[in-house]
Amino acid sequence: MTKGVGLLMKKAVFFDAGHTLFNVYERPRFYLLQYFCERCSSKDLSYLDWDQGAIHAEIHYQQSHSNPDYVDSEEFWLDHYMSSLEAAGMSSYSAYEVAKEVLENRSKIKRTYWLIPECIKTLQLLKRNYKLAVVSNWDGTLEEILSYLGIKDMFDFIADSGIIGFSKPKQSIF
């Protein structure tokens, strides 16, 4: 190695919270479209291809994240549910009706927090050599949830956008 040139050492690992460290509802992220629709709509949804809808939902979510103002809007969520339901096999008109029902009623669905399998084991392994941080767009309750799940003390830094006042991907939260 050349004198004065060192290896770039990684010193910290950053995690998102929901659906990365823990799930937020009774079902994992891939099944949330179906879960929300079944709990928020009165329509018969048994004919839908939920896997195709879930794949489309994930693609739409990832592609939209470059525009944080859009992702934080009701317009995004209406588009998200509607286009995902269409990908699952629903007509545009019915998809719009169901998407509106989900948007109006999803906040009534009880959140159930549970750790992603292998989360604790992974954090313990990483904690040996790295500082650990959680940086998440949350509502001010992140530390409480991490404490409830028994993992709060594993983190050296917790950034909850609801407390900090900035959300990802804005640089200020980091």
Side-chain angles (χ1 to χ4, degrees):
M1 183 169 356
T2 308
K3 187 177 180 179
V5 176
L7 295 174
L8 177 62
M9 301 297 293
K10 291 179 175 56
K11 297 179 181 179
V13 179
F14 289 72
F15 292 90
D16 190 12
H19 306 291
T20 301
L21 296 169
F22 57 85
N23 285 305
V24 180
Y25 296 96
E26 292 177 15
R27 297 284 230 15
R29 180 177 175 163
F30 186 78
Y31 301 101
L32 287 181
L33 174 68
Q34 180 179 4
Y35 180 77
F36 286 159
C37 291
E38 289 175 346
R39 278 151 187 78
C40 297
S41 178
S42 56
K43 293 195 177 297
D44 174 22
L45 307 172
S46 61
Y47 67 95
L48 294 175
D49 182 343
W50 290 112
D51 287 344
Q52 284 302 309
I55 290 166
H56 179 83
E58 183 61 27
I59 291 168
H60 179 259
Y61 188 81
Q62 294 300 327
Q63 289 175 341
S64 299
H65 253 70
S66 62
N67 183 349
D69 293 330
Y70 174 58
V71 172
D72 289 339
S73 72
E74 279 196 16
E75 177 188 4
F76 163 79
W77 288 107
L78 187 62
D79 291 347
H80 182 72
Y81 296 132
M82 211 171 109
S83 63
S84 300
L85 288 165
E86 288 174 3
M90 189 176 276
S91 72
S92 295
Y93 178 78
S94 293
Y96 176 75
E97 286 184 330
V98 172
K100 277 182 43 180
E101 285 181 303
V102 171
L103 196 57
E104 291 168 3
N105 295 303
R106 74 176 184 178
S107 65
K108 298 174 188 168
I109 299 173
K110 184 179 186 279
R111 290 182 171 199
T112 305
Y113 303 106
W114 50 287
L115 290 173
I116 300 288
E118 302 296 321
C119 175
I120 291 178
K121 187 177 184 178
T122 301
L123 293 174
Q124 287 171 337
L125 288 170
L126 290 169
K127 187 72 175 159
R128 294 178 187 168
N129 299 306
Y130 302 99
K131 300 278 186 189
L132 302 181
V134 179
V135 180
S136 189
N137 293 342
W138 212 256
D139 63 3
T141 62
L142 184 56
E143 284 194 40
E144 178 184 329
I145 293 164
L146 295 173
S147 183
Y148 165 77
L149 294 169
I151 59 173
K152 178 184 172 209
D153 293 339
M154 299 180 94
F155 295 97
D156 300 287
F157 180 75
I158 298 170
D160 180 330
S161 65
I163 292 173
I164 293 178
F166 300 102
S167 59
K168 296 183 299 182
K170 292 183 178 123
Q171 193 67 28
S172 305
I173 195 168
F174 295 95

